Amino acid sequence: MAIDPKKHEMPTQDPSVRAHNFDEVALGYTYEMAKAEAARCLNCKNQPCVNGCPVNVHIPDFIAKIKADDMEGAYQEISKSSSLPAVCGRVCPQENQCEKVCTLGIKFEPVGIGRLERFVADYHNENAKELPAAPETNGHKVAIVGSGPSGLACAGDLAKKGYKVTVYEALHTAGGVLVYGIP
């Protein structure tokens, strides 16, 4: 089967619709679109995309899980390195990082890594049936000041290690730049 030279386009809201709401313009991939985009990945031996990712997500590994219809496995693979995959899939500048060094991008358009990350995170959030198991407490408490992306990521990582975490936020809504800075 020949490789599609172009990324699969992300569906978007029609301009006449989005002019009257504050919903996301990009709608995300469907299951079929994600599978088709994942099929474009070459699963390179040297994996330059992993080195291009600031948090070293094992990109070919999570994409292989998509190819195998294991969306939860793909989410778990991303979650080993990234605390906020739904956010990163939307706002991380993949075109200047992982996608920039994608081997497929030498001849064709690179794999839509960010689009796939967003799909996997959204799929997990819509379909996960169980809450993650709470780790055994280590008896220590930690306060995090600020509920922006770094505060939330830090709180999540510490909670996974058994710390009792309290997050403090000065503004009305948690999220920091995710709420007040990124449309």
Side-chain angles (χ1 to χ4, degrees), residues 83-134:
S83 297
L84 302 169
V87 174
C88 292
R90 286 170 167 80
V91 302
C92 183
Q94 297 92 2
E95 64 280 356
N96 296 321
Q97 296 174 3
C98 56
E99 291 181 13
K100 182 178 182 178
V101 295
C102 173
T103 303
L104 187 64
I106 294 170
K107 285 194 148 197
F108 304 123
E109 288 186 10
V111 174
I113 298 167
R115 296 171 183 186
L116 291 174
E117 182 176 19
R118 172 191 170 151
F119 169 79
V120 167
D122 289 351
Y123 187 91
H124 170 80
N125 289 338
E126 292 171 15
N127 295 289
K129 303 282 189 256
E130 298 177 16
L131 293 173

Side-chain angles (χ1 to χ4, degrees), residues 10-28 118:
M10 176 91 68
T12 58
Q13 282 192 60
D14 184 82
S16 63
V17 174
R18 71 179 183 230
H20 302 286
N21 68 51
F22 290 99
D23 296 337
E24 286 186 83
V25 173
L27 301 174
R118 172 191 170 151

